[in-house]
Amino acid sequence: MATRTTTIRTTIVESGRSADYIDADLTVNELLCAYYDCRRHKRNTMNALRFEANLERNIMALYRELMDGSYRPGTSICFVVTRPKPREVWAADFRDRVVHHLLYNRIADRFHRSFIADSCACIPGRGTLYGATRLEHKIRSITRNWSRDAYYLKLDLANFFVSIDKNILHGLLARKITEPWVMWLTETVLFHDPRENVRIKGTAEMLDLIPPHKSLFNQPSHLGLPIGNLSSQFFANVYLNPLDQHVKHRIGARHYIRYVDDMVLLHESPQWLNHAAVEIGDFVAERLALALNPRKTVIQPIERGVDFVGQVIKPWRRVLRRTTFENAITAASSKTGDDLMRSANSYLGLLRQADHSHSDRARLVRITLRKGHCVDGRFTKIFRKRADVPKFEKFLYF
């Protein structure tokens, strides 16, 4: 496919807004890069295969819509996951996810540069392992390698994604987005209401599992972002960046870390932490129209263990959360064949992130061995059953 670089004067007309002439700044190559980013780990899905079957035509059609301002998001799919608790997940159409990656590639870096180093999730190199190891380093620092007492404060925002005010978020985005066409695309993605064009996957009984105050279907149009889209994850970090700056520079929390809406602060004084919790609660209410979840506000001695990003940090060790590990054992005990292989490898990936996990991995591996699967010697990967492996290869596994 030929690469095209074009700048077009185009008219964007939005409901409730006056027409404005803007310079549409986009190349086909940039859109293709967004497509390749989007299809990573999604290439075998039905929507991705359908888009790829007529790739050139679909890319050029999407390119023209973005250039002339006629692009509008398509149908979303809503379904319910039940673990660790019932939650709505919204999946945008594949071509819309390409646009999300396009927007992310264009604007993410300028926002990432302003984020503190203790902000995790949906930032390159800052996943759950980054969050767990960084918190462990902070704990070792404040306790002087577990030789001194200290306390932790754990906070959680109530109904975070469905409570995000799009108007407040729009103001935060506008501070760093100066290009009119990029701002138009940002507004198109941000203010799109997926409820207007949605296909519900699953039964009505599954949707009934979602408490009304946690469902996007029950929110006014200016509140809430759909969980599951790259754009929503990125927008959530932008939305909470003022909170990070306030905690670090106004409250003066030296040991602080946040993963999405889960926050942990460390200090030698539980009284100081209690005062910090009050200040944070006031700030999120006044500036971000959010509220802390009082049932998940915890102040405890660090030596009891700090549960964060699925791991529990205890003196001299970091282990996978016990409920997650028991789910792994239950899944391995109930599944067979390729389903077992995929599930076990997924949980082994989580277990490898914990530095004290050999005995847990061994327990999971024993279940798969009894069901005839092959395992590598370091207990890091499950393979298909021995009957499916050529005899000359069997010596590689045990």
Side-chain angles (χ1 to χ4, degrees), residues 21-68:
Y21 289 94
I22 65 174
D23 287 323
D25 168 28
L26 178 65
T27 67
V28 175
N29 187 60
E30 187 179 5
L31 187 58
L32 275 171
C33 289
Y35 160 73
Y36 287 121
D37 289 342
C38 182
R39 80 171 191 179
R40 189 178 300 143
H41 308 304
K42 299 286 185 182
R43 191 172 187 180
N44 291 328
T45 63
M46 186 60 66
N47 284 342
L49 292 171
R50 188 180 297 115
F51 191 92
E52 186 174 1
N54 295 288
L55 179 59
E56 183 172 353
R57 184 177 65 184
N58 289 328
I59 284 290
M60 293 310 300
L62 182 57
Y63 174 77
R64 287 190 291 269
E65 291 179 23
L66 291 167
M67 292 298 291
D68 63 21

Side-chain angles (χ1 to χ4, degrees), residues 62 66 71 95-103 185 189:
L62 182 57
L66 291 167
Y71 166 75
R95 73 195 305 266
D96 296 327
R97 294 202 294 272
V98 173
V99 174
H100 296 169
H101 280 271
L102 173 69
L103 179 62
L185 184 59
V189 173

Side-chain angles (χ1 to χ4, degrees), residues 233-387:
Q233 299 171 40
F234 171 71
F235 288 156
N237 272 335
V238 174
Y239 198 73
L240 291 182
N241 184 50
L243 171 61
D244 295 336
Q245 304 296 337
H246 180 77
V247 173
K248 294 292 286 188
H249 303 300
R250 295 291 183 179
I251 297 179
R254 180 184 175 191
H255 300 290
Y256 162 80
I257 192 166
R258 177 182 62 81
Y259 190 91
V260 192
D261 61 332
D262 292 329
M263 295 162 275
V264 174
L265 291 82
L266 311 176
H267 202 270
E268 297 86 350
S269 168
Q271 291 78 22
W272 187 94
L273 290 174
N274 189 65
H275 179 69
V278 174
E279 286 196 45
I280 291 172
D282 292 341
F283 179 85
V284 297
E286 294 171 7
R287 294 283 301 277
L288 302 176
L290 299 172
L292 295 177
N293 188 338
R295 293 181 298 176
K296 294 186 178 180
T297 300
V298 177
I299 298 179
Q300 290 284 346
I302 288 176
E303 64 181 11
R304 295 185 182 179
V306 184
D307 189 332
F308 186 63
V309 294
Q311 297 187 34
V312 181
I313 302 169
K314 296 182 177 182
W316 305 108
R317 66 192 187 278
R318 180 162 42 84
V319 298
L320 188 68
R321 183 186 295 156
R322 290 299 86 187
T323 54
T324 304
F325 177 65
E326 293 305 324
N327 288 338
I329 296 301
T330 301
S333 300
S334 60
K335 295 181 178 181
T336 58
D338 285 352
D339 287 341
L340 171 60
M341 183 184 69
R342 285 190 290 265
S343 177
N345 280 327
S346 177
Y347 280 113
L348 282 177
L350 288 175
L351 285 164
R352 287 200 303 271
Q353 294 187 1
D355 55 8
H356 281 66
S357 65
H358 184 81
S359 60
D360 289 342
R361 283 184 284 139
R363 183 179 168 191
L364 178 60
V365 159
R366 280 195 292 270
I367 296 175
T368 63
L369 286 172
R370 286 197 295 268
K371 295 189 177 184
H373 286 265
C374 304
V375 183
D376 75 332
R378 294 177 298 171
F379 298 166
T380 60
K381 189 172 183 180
I382 308 296
F383 299 90
R384 285 184 171 85
K385 289 186 176 182
R386 295 186 182 91

Side-chain angles (χ1 to χ4, degrees), residues 149-172:
D149 293 336
Y151 298 83
Y152 75 92
L153 165 66
K154 189 174 183 181
L155 300 171
D156 179 86
L157 294 169
N159 313 317
F160 173 53
F161 273 96
V162 297
S163 300
I164 292 175
D165 190 315
K166 296 181 181 179
N167 295 317
I168 296 175
L169 178 56
H170 179 266
L172 296 173

